[in-house]
Amino acid sequence: MKELMEQIKTDLMDIFTHLHENPEVSWKEFETTKYLASFLEKQGAKVRTFSECTGVIADIGEGFPVVAVRADIDALWQEVDGQFQANHSCGHDAHMTIAIGVLMTLKRLSSLPKGTIRFIFQPAEEKGDGALTMVDKGVVDDVDYLYGVHLRPEMELSDGYASPAIIHGGARFLKGTIQSDDAHGARPHLGKNAIEVGASFVSMLNGIHLDPLVPYSVKMTSFHAGGESANIIPGSATFSLDLRAQQNDTMEQLVTKVKDIAASLEKLYNTSIQLETAANVAAAEVNREAQAFMERGIIEALRNEKLHAPLVSTGGDDFHFYTIKRPHLKATMLGLGCGLTPGLHHPKMTFNREAMLDAVHILTITVLETLKEGKK
């Protein structure tokens, strides 16, 4: 297997460089989709794209079971050296490269076990609705096992190590508005001060108490009210809330508490407060059988001492919507130690690119073992 890794290494690094240097943000991955579709067709895969959205599906092999490998394809929009631009600071360029490497390696084997290997190049992970769109398009309806991969920061997992599961927490981002009339600074009794409403909101959020054994948090991350005139009391404001929970049922409890607070403040201040969900990412639902196959892949590729326990992360990934929306799926996500610094989403994020070959090796073995033993 390592000989095959060396055969594709140069091509993989060139692919990564192209993807890294041509980032595209969520739902605008048009050139990325074209590039992937063209390359995968040349590899002999059965390729499917969508007229309504970006993203690529590629199949090799035939029959059952159906084992899928998912890679996210979008970049972030962030400030880099004083200029806002699309930027692959979350590692999606690496995830695409790894999935391509698995396909290239499998195609070079003399024979494959019976079954279909599907590669899902999914758009808009950063928006939190890319996986849901793929589910709606039926791309996992016939899939039995689903594997993903994500680079991990050095502080979480050292270079050369790998984890068979990432236990992501759930995340929900709410946008809110406070709507009332402005008032003169000399006559505060004639209006409702949106800033005071916002301050009360923050105070009451800090008073939410749920099961302390399950990590959770809620905080206001933006608040905008008022203008240039210091003698006007602003009646209206917009704000954003960031909610996190390690379990999906805890997230629902947290959302209910936040809505209850908004309703209470409406009555207290006699104003209007509206909340809407801007994005929603589910907490992980890891399948033990899929995790066991991934463990075997890590041990065979890297040796037993490089196997790390499943990672618990407060971060989120819309990968987990696949299993929530299609409970028959057996899924897990590979956590890849790769010397990643300073951290995910940092504009200057960097990592050991050689580690991508480790991930290709791990996932290739995992897919093969699943095809052999994971019968439908």
Side-chain angles (χ1 to χ4, degrees), residues 350-375:
T350 186
F351 69 99
N352 173 19
R353 298 181 181 182
E354 297 281 333
M356 291 189 293
L357 295 172
D358 288 340
V360 171
H361 196 177
I362 293 166
L363 284 170
T364 300
I365 294 170
T366 301
V367 167
L368 290 172
E369 291 296 313
T370 307
L371 288 172
K372 291 174 184 176
E373 298 188 26
K375 301 303 182 183

Side-chain angles (χ1 to χ4, degrees), residues 182-185 226-227 229-235:
D182 293 349
H184 195 289
S229 300
N231 64 342
I232 295 177
I233 298 173

Side-chain angles (χ1 to χ4, degrees), residues 234-306:
S236 299
T238 60
F239 60 92
S240 298
L241 301 175
D242 179 297
L243 287 68
R244 306 275 172 167
Q246 202 61 50
Q247 296 179 4
N248 291 312
D249 57 348
T250 303
M251 175 61 76
E252 295 309 316
Q253 295 173 33
L254 197 57
V255 171
T256 298
K257 291 282 189 181
V258 170
K259 290 181 177 179
D260 288 346
I261 288 172
S264 297
L265 290 173
E266 279 188 317
K267 294 180 180 179
L268 178 63
Y269 286 95
N270 191 26
T271 188
S272 173
I273 302 176
Q274 300 295 320
L275 294 173
E276 63 176 276
T277 300
N280 178 24
V281 177
E285 303 282 354
V286 177
N287 176 265
R288 292 189 180 276
E289 186 179 349
Q291 179 180 320
F293 282 129
M294 189 73 79
E295 288 176 358
R296 288 160 63 174
I298 293 170
I299 291 170
E300 184 171 336
L302 303 182
R303 303 187 308 277
N304 188 70
E305 60 268 24
K306 297 297 184 179

Side-chain angles (χ1 to χ4, degrees), residues 31-51:
E31 294 305 316
T32 303
T33 295
K34 291 179 184 177
Y35 175 84
L36 292 170
S38 175
F39 182 87
L40 294 166
E41 285 176 349
K42 291 176 182 177
Q43 294 294 312
K46 300 174 184 176
V47 174
R48 176 158 59 111
T49 56
F50 309 96
S51 59

